[in-house]
Amino acid sequence: MSATVTDVAETDRSESVNGSLIRSRQAEAGISALSFGDPVPGESICQGIVGRSEALRNVLEQLEMVASTDATVLICGETGTGKELVARAVHNLSARRTSPFVKCSCAAIPAGLLESELFGHEKGAFTGAAAKRIGRFELANRGTIFLDEIGETPLEVQPKLLRVLQEREFERLGDSRTLRSDARLVAATNVDLPEMVDAKRFRADLYYRLNVFPIHVPPLRERREDIPLLVRHFVCDYASRMHRRIKVVASAAMDALVRYSWPGNVRELQHLIERAVILSPSELLKIPVSEIDKDTGARKTGGSRRTLEEVERAHILATLNETSWVVSGPRGAASRLGLNRSTLQFRMKKLGIDRGAEGRATR
């Protein structure tokens, strides 16, 4: 028995020495352990929202305060910041969580069909209406309806949306009967709605009705301390799916991730980590740092700090030049930037981007 105990003890000491030696060599090579199996002090994962920064904690506090009510919530933030996760969290923490969560992207549906999508239609209501269709507000009765990119709602549909919010009443297209829906509305936007109101592209009364409880989701560049936690979260997720055993990441690579501005926010980071896991057959996470350093270096040229609008303008211009000023379509600038066509055109107008003017300036 004593010999067995000695052997185990010797083995433990050997493994301890080997582990220390490995960690020492990793430190010398600039490699840090990700500790995937261990909880991170202060880490928060609430309804799939990962982070521990002060900016994110403020969002979670607001979310928890409003979830228990039936108030309309307007989630504002750049593309890729996780607005749908916040919307789902509002629903999952509410008394409606056992009822449907119905989502609809106002930008993904052609303008002429959005009214039918939201409120439904009867058979024969218009050309192509071969059967009765139940609308999203009817489907979301007693639950939550999430309208993403609410700023893309056509002006002609906005009065009907305002009515269903205020009176909870609507009619299907082709039907005179008035229906009721007890659906809670959570909306999201990545554009400046007050600016759209000033430009007469969005109704002021609808904006005030939506803006009951606004929640601003910060961009990733404003919560850089969450980046290592997000990397850990996404690596665990994708490594599990792809049956990889990734345990370490180079310190220089992690520093590059934290320094990068992330114009596509959490979604861009998620896609980069997915690609990195695919490229990593060993325990070391191989991050394509050259792509990040290229962008970081480009932002540093010129020697002076640029405003956010200047950075945005330069980024949009560069993308337009790469696509030969094609805005829409699968290979257009809007698709590359993760925006819909009308949002990009609105940003171009605000930033004074005009193809003719840009052509004259470069001559």
Side-chain angles (χ1 to χ4, degrees), residues 15-29 31 33:
E15 290 178 353
S16 176
V17 170
N18 289 336
S20 299
L21 182 59
I22 291 170
R23 285 191 293 272
S24 175
R25 287 176 178 173
Q26 286 177 348
E28 290 173 5
I31 297 173

Side-chain angles (χ1 to χ4, degrees), residues 2-65:
S2 60
T4 303
V5 172
T6 302
D7 290 341
V8 171
E10 287 296 332
T11 301
D12 289 345
R13 279 196 293 273
S14 176
E15 290 178 353
S16 176
V17 170
N18 289 336
S20 299
L21 182 59
I22 291 170
R23 285 191 293 272
S24 175
R25 287 176 178 173
Q26 286 177 348
E28 290 173 5
I31 297 173
S32 57
L34 289 174
S35 304
F36 292 142
D38 303 323
V40 177
E43 179 181 12
S44 171
I45 302 182
C46 174
Q47 301 292 320
I49 303 170
V50 179
R52 59 183 175 189
S53 63
E54 187 64 28
L56 189 64
R57 288 185 184 277
N58 289 337
V59 170
L60 295 176
E61 287 175 6
Q62 293 177 65
L63 187 160
E64 291 173 356
M65 282 190 289

Side-chain angles (χ1 to χ4, degrees), residues 260-302:
Y260 182 52
S261 62
W262 299 107
N265 293 294
V266 178
R267 185 183 295 131
E268 183 183 3
L269 173 63
Q270 180 180 1
H271 293 165
L272 181 75
I273 296 302
E274 181 180 11
R275 185 159 73 252
V277 171
I278 294 170
L279 295 171
S280 306
S282 66
E283 294 185 349
L284 176 65
L285 182 66
K286 294 183 178 180
I287 298 173
V289 178
S290 58
E291 297 178 20
I292 301 170
D293 286 342
K294 182 179 178 181
D295 179 84
T296 305
R299 289 186 294 107
K300 289 181 178 178
T301 56

Side-chain angles (χ1 to χ4, degrees), residues 89-210:
V90 170
H91 173 74
N92 291 337
L93 294 174
S94 74
R96 298 172 179 262
R97 58 185 170 272
T98 57
S99 297
F101 176 86
V102 179
K103 65 177 182 177
C104 177
S105 173
C106 299
I109 299 169
L113 297 178
L114 184 59
E115 182 180 352
S116 168
E117 194 70 29
L118 293 177
F119 306 115
H121 65 254
E122 293 293 329
K123 180 180 179 179
F126 53 85
T127 303
K132 182 174 78 172
R133 181 184 180 88
I134 304 299
R136 301 294 178 97
F137 271 96
E138 199 169 345
L139 292 171
N141 187 38
R142 299 183 180 177
T144 302
I145 182 167
F146 172 52
L147 297 186
D148 197 10
E149 300 192 67
I150 189 76
E152 301 302 319
T153 307
L155 278 169
E156 59 269 22
V157 178
Q158 292 180 23
K160 297 179 180 180
L161 184 55
L162 179 62
R163 180 188 173 207
V164 77
L165 288 179
Q166 292 187 159
E167 309 296 335
R168 298 190 177 276
E169 294 180 346
F170 65 95
E171 290 86 31
R172 296 194 197 113
L173 287 174
D175 191 357
S176 59
R177 291 176 300 165
T178 298
L179 304 175
R180 294 187 62 82
S181 175
D182 177 28
R184 179 190 193 169
L185 176 65
V186 178
T189 181
N190 60 5
V191 298
D192 191 327
L193 289 183
E195 281 191 6
M196 294 188 69
V197 170
D198 292 340
K200 308 298 183 184
R201 296 184 56 204
F202 201 86
R203 290 179 61 109
D205 49 2
L206 178 57
Y207 169 67
Y208 298 138
R209 185 64 185 81
L210 291 170

